[in-house]
Amino acid sequence: MRAVRYQGAHTLTVDEASVPTLGPGQVLIRVAFAGMCGTDVHIYEGLHPRARPGVILGHEISGEVVAVENRELPIPVGTHVVVEPLLACGRCVACREGNYHLCREHGLLGIDANGGFAEFVAVSSERIHPVPAGVDLTEAALVEPLAVAIHAVRRGSVAVGDHVLVFGAGPIGLLTALAARSAGAALVVVSEVVPFRLSLARKLGFLVVDAAREGAAEVIRDLTGGLGADVVFDAAAAPATATQWVPVTKPSGTIVALGIFTRPAPVDLGQVTRHELRILGTRDYTFADFRRALELLESKRIDVRELITEVTDLGEAERTILRIKAGKDVMKVLLAPAGGVR
Ligand SMILES: [Zn+2]
Ligand SMILES: [Zn+2]
């Protein structure tokens, strides 16, 4: 089968790999679509501490079950599925408390094991979810990042009528804005610098802050009678956005750190105390978030199709990464290893 492999910083290969053999409890999935993510860009740059040369990338996967390790497994051959790509030990305290997304040995397909930028991928039957009829496998490839957004919105306890601000209008920022709106937020504002991302945010019906020209604090205060947002999501994760957390948040409001900061960020903790702000982290998702993501797509309460800017071949993986890095007009690019089986 063809596969995209990371071979060290700034090097990807697209060549033949053997079809994975199934371990206990695993199923073989013929990949229909696999989404390209900021994490893949990070790996390509050689900045991911766990990615080893030779690994097949890709963790946002939809496809069809084509083989099962044993017939006792609950998912029959032919089922359309999405993959929950977390790897967990099952033994640590977090795992045993049901928080396997916080596992001590937390891993991800496409980093710690071969992923979905290939014609086939082997996955534990415990980490796949059937795709409901009526949800296309292209949309289904966005379930993984949508589950990240849903988890964040649940962590932030967005409530009906809330005013919400999202920093960053990449895929995770926009999906979080969509999830917050479907949770009942009355106002969702998205702050971003890249013009293409701003235009897509507008197209999805959000008010925007063009952060290259205006300050998020002024805009959100204007829109909320001087109060600030009830819940703020930071999907940008830059020190410059962290300095804005306090000024954009309403007293007793909540700030959800969603993107991954790679450096310590300056936050005025004196003001956090004075205004009784809550700062929360959010990471990945749980089984329930995946189920919710699929249900929201099925019921059309969330439509992610506008985010898919391109569907292309495995051979375009590196060029796609370079275009994402260069800030070209891309949002979510899907690779279709088998030409897009539906
Ligand atoms: Zn990702
Ligand atoms: Zn564990």
Side-chain angles (χ1 to χ4, degrees):
M1 66 171 190
R2 289 166 70 233
V4 178
R5 281 194 260 226
Y6 170 69
Q7 302 290 12
H10 306 286
T11 313
L12 294 186
T13 53
V14 186
D15 54 12
E16 281 297 310
S18 40
V19 173
T21 48
L22 296 180
Q26 284 192 324
V27 302
L28 187 68
I29 293 167
R30 183 196 289 125
V31 178
F33 301 100
M36 179 76 74
C37 165
T39 301
D40 300 311
V41 178
H42 197 66
I43 294 168
Y44 176 78
E45 306 246 79
L47 299 173
H48 199 290
R50 302 200 314 272
R52 296 281 166 267
V55 73
I56 299 172
L57 301 181
H59 59 270
E60 303 178 0
I61 304 162
S62 69
E64 180 184 349
V65 175
V66 290
V68 293
E69 183 261 333
N70 75 70
R71 291 181 185 282
E72 304 297 301
L73 297 178
I75 307 237
V77 166
T79 311
H80 283 185
V81 294
V82 290
V83 175
E84 194 186 333
L86 295 184
L87 303 169
C89 76
R91 297 178 303 275
C92 73
V93 170
C95 278
R96 291 166 75 183
E97 288 182 348
N99 294 318
Y100 60 86
H101 63 302
L102 305 176
C103 175
R104 189 175 57 184
E105 295 169 29
H106 178 282
L108 199 69
L109 285 184
I111 298 174
D112 305 282
N114 285 333
F117 288 175
E119 289 176 62
F120 299 94
V121 61
V123 183
S124 163
S125 60
E126 293 178 358
R127 293 278 191 274
I128 59 179
H129 300 252
V131 176
V135 176
D136 190 276
L137 286 177
T138 52
E139 299 169 69
L142 273 78
V143 164
E144 195 265 359
L146 179 58
V148 170
I150 288 169
H151 191 68
V153 165
R154 289 170 54 74
R155 289 281 296 154
S157 304
V158 172
V160 63
D162 271 357
H163 297 160
V164 168
L165 173 67
V166 180
F167 284 111
I172 293 292
L174 289 181
L175 291 168
T176 300
L178 288 167
R181 186 162 68 191
S182 94
L187 173 74
V188 180
V189 182
V190 177
S191 174
E192 170 63 54
V193 290
V194 177
F196 174 74
R197 292 176 164 198
L198 281 168
S199 67
L200 191 46
R202 276 193 205 98
K203 201 167 168 186
L204 292 167
F206 301 114
L207 291 177
V208 301
V209 177
D210 181 350
R213 298 160 189 270
E214 52 191 350
E218 292 70 46
V219 175
I220 197 76
R221 286 209 197 112
D222 276 354
L223 291 168
T224 58
L227 281 176
D230 296 284
V231 188
V232 174
F233 294 93
D234 190 345
T241 56
T243 61
Q244 300 176 64
W245 284 4
V246 168
V248 298
T249 309
K250 186 181 161 186
S252 89
T254 300
I255 297 149
V256 182
L258 175 55
I260 296 169
F261 282 86
T262 52
R263 284 170 286 159
V267 177
D268 187 343
L269 293 177
Q271 298 291 345
V272 171
T273 302
R274 216 161 281 132
H275 299 296
E276 282 200 346
L277 305 182
R278 250 180 307 265
I279 300 179
L280 303 173
T282 179
R283 183 173 197 189
D284 296 332
Y285 31 69
T286 63
F287 191 85
D289 298 313
F290 256 71
R291 185 171 46 73
R292 288 189 172 95
L294 284 159
E295 286 174 0
L296 288 163
L297 292 182
E298 185 184 20
S299 64
K300 314 292 178 203
R301 304 246 338 219
I302 292 183
D303 188 346
V304 297
R305 286 172 297 186
E306 203 71 58
L307 272 65
I308 302 169
T309 47
E310 204 175 324
V311 179
T312 188
D313 183 70
L314 288 183
E316 295 295 307
E318 185 160 13
R319 196 181 64 89
T320 300
I321 285 175
L322 295 174
R323 287 177 61 224
I324 293 172
K325 273 180 61 183
K328 298 292 184 199
D329 292 356
V330 286
M331 185 54 63
K332 183 57 77 180
V333 177
L334 304 183
L335 301 183
V341 179
R342 298 201 183 210

